[in-house]
Amino acid sequence: MGPPGFALEGGGESLVFLTREPGAPHLVYWGPRLADPDAAVALADRPLAPAMLDAGETLSWLPEAGQGFTGHPAILGHREGRDLITRMEISGVVAATRSARVTMVDERAGVEVVLRLALDGATGVLTSRAAIRNTGAAPLTLEWLAAGAVPSPHAEIMSFGGRWAREFTTARQTLAGGLLVNENRTGRTSHHAPPFVIAGEAGFGEARGEVFAAHLAWSGNHRILAERLRDGRLQIQAGEALSPGEIVLGVGETYETPALYLARSDLGLNGLSDRLHPFVRDTVMGGRLRGKPRPVHCNTWEAVYFDHDPARLEALADQAAAVGAERFVLDDGWFAGRANDRAGLGDWWPDPVKYPRGLGPLIGHVRALGMSFGLWVEPEMVNADSDLFRAHPDWILGEPGRDQPLGRGQYVLDLTRPEVSETIFQQIDALLRAHPIAYLKWDMNRDLTHAVSDGRAAVHRQTMAVYALIDRVRAAHPAVEIESCASGGGRADYEILRRTDRIWTSDCNDSVERQHIQRAFSIFFPPEIMGAHVGPAKSHTTARTASMRFAAFTALVGHMGIEADLGALGERDTGRLAAAIAVHKRLRPWLHAARTRRLEHPDAGLLATAMIAGTRALILAAQVATPMSATPRPLRVSGLAPGAWTIREIDPPRRERRTAAGSGFLARGEPVATSAAALAHAGLPLPILHAGQIVAWEAEAVAPEGG
């Protein structure tokens, strides 16, 4: 393109921006690749509505109130209540095929803003960041800076919410007018307002409709908003939610937003996953898990809780190895003074009462069984009943002399203070140097309430300090994998995933709830980083009872694990668990590189998924509620490569012939030869499933003769 703007191309997409109008660049096209971007420029004019400003609403990528924008602006700041208005002008554009750097200045306001855009060439995922520099003569207090403001052609909004043990709950609404704000001020990505939103055409589904996804990659406070402007257009903004006075820029200082990741698809939510999953694998995580099998875990939490006895744990390790576990993770309760959740945090050395010979004997036993060893830690926290707190009561995040609410009986350590971060690093480093520990489950079990350090709001600084601490641990111990956990899925975002290898999806191991949680989680995250465990038959978070088959097959597609007292299982369930783990190991070389396709079915109580990797596929159908009809409708399976396929049910249970609606292969578990077209349009016949039952098929493409 010429001087009026620039175009970005990648992943079969084109984005066309204009720079001839006031303020930041204006997005005038985002869609399938255009051979001639000027074709979109030719259609960029808009009529002006009466009773408004003469130039109309100026909706740019960073809209400003000073440019006549009356919606939520992308920039809010002041100098002791003055210099509120900005009217930026573009001073420079450096653009290439897949990236652009746009510099904007307002000399009177004393600010310079740099917008950086990058379009991934393989996936078409767009990264947007904005940075503001104080070029004035006095400090600048920043109240809000969006990482970008995306104009949306669609008003149906899917937001993500939930609570502890019920993360990633989706809700839909049509934005008829006004402002929809999803804001989190817990100091982590949160259970109730994670930083994700999707806008799509009315009635969009898993495989239909144009949809746009936005994710702010930030593990602290955030705000995502969707707004219908008074002229009918819609915008989506995202950025860090700042407390009063949290960001004050001295002369020459700069603040940069977290990354805003955006994706578009004409093929519904599955199309978004097709873009986001490989982007996470190769760009966010740098390809470090590609071709690296995810070891099956045995986590001790729901087996022993705080009741640690080395002999009992060695027996649990024996049982775990026997069913096929490959990593034994010692959860909460192992360190000094940890009889319950009111003591011990901050003292990261083995409890001398529980482990009189230290962790060495248990670790040696685990490794002799052929398993690696993992350890639970919560480095950001401290209990009042701990040696660390008694020695340094002033090290907690908060205002000195003011009581604050506790969460799980603990305070937050002020990691913005170098001496605090150094002490915690030295403790974790000593553990990792003393023992062959391959894995850390890094937990964070409370919200930030009095997030103040040195008298100023500190969530931003604390979040950066957490990143720095994890980065330092990784640099010192590059072979150690780290899991992001925060009371389950309370810290799940792409920025924490840059430095971790797994996300603990939820503290809820109820497999019915997990079906819903994992389905929504899978829109943005690939399966290999999704912690998915087989819990006890009776869930400790819901009191619901599930069969071993349902629990094991629910965990099958993720980073599989066990979190139950294996000694309490009967012989039959132990055998079923071992068989499911063997299936998982057989499939995971391709399963954890597969495309995720969430399938739709007329019965809302049946949740189905296909994991597809070239000539292989795994199809799962889980009945999570009582069926609406006496016999199920066939399951349409889309996304398979054209041609002939063979499908065989995995570990078919013994069924009465009548429950299979007269179909021989369903009743007997026989393979069936069919085609991708038949599966997509006629559908796969389902057996009659009661609530809490699941069926799984393995599919393989048939090579043509002579091929």
Side-chain angles (χ1 to χ4, degrees), residues 456-469:
R456 291 179 51 202
V459 174
H460 176 85
R461 287 180 287 151
Q462 179 78 2
T463 305
M464 297 299 289
V466 170
Y467 291 158
L469 179 58

Side-chain angles (χ1 to χ4, degrees), residues 544-625:
R544 180 163 30 211
T545 299
S547 71
M548 175 55 73
R549 178 183 176 85
F550 193 85
F553 278 27
T554 296
L556 191 70
V557 299
H559 186 166
M560 192 177 187
I562 312 155
E563 194 166 336
D565 183 357
L566 292 170
L569 296 182
E571 183 179 348
R572 187 178 183 185
D573 277 350
T574 300
R576 286 176 172 170
L577 177 58
I581 290 173
V583 170
H584 172 80
K585 290 180 177 178
R586 180 170 59 81
L587 300 181
R588 72 183 172 192
W590 62 264
L591 183 66
H592 283 169
R595 295 171 58 211
T596 300
R597 292 192 68 83
R598 294 164 297 275
L599 305 176
E600 294 174 309
H601 189 267
D603 181 0
L606 186 135
L607 302 181
T609 305
M611 309 297 295
I612 304 170
T615 61
R616 306 289 298 274
L618 172 69
I619 303 161
L620 291 155
Q623 192 72 50
V624 298

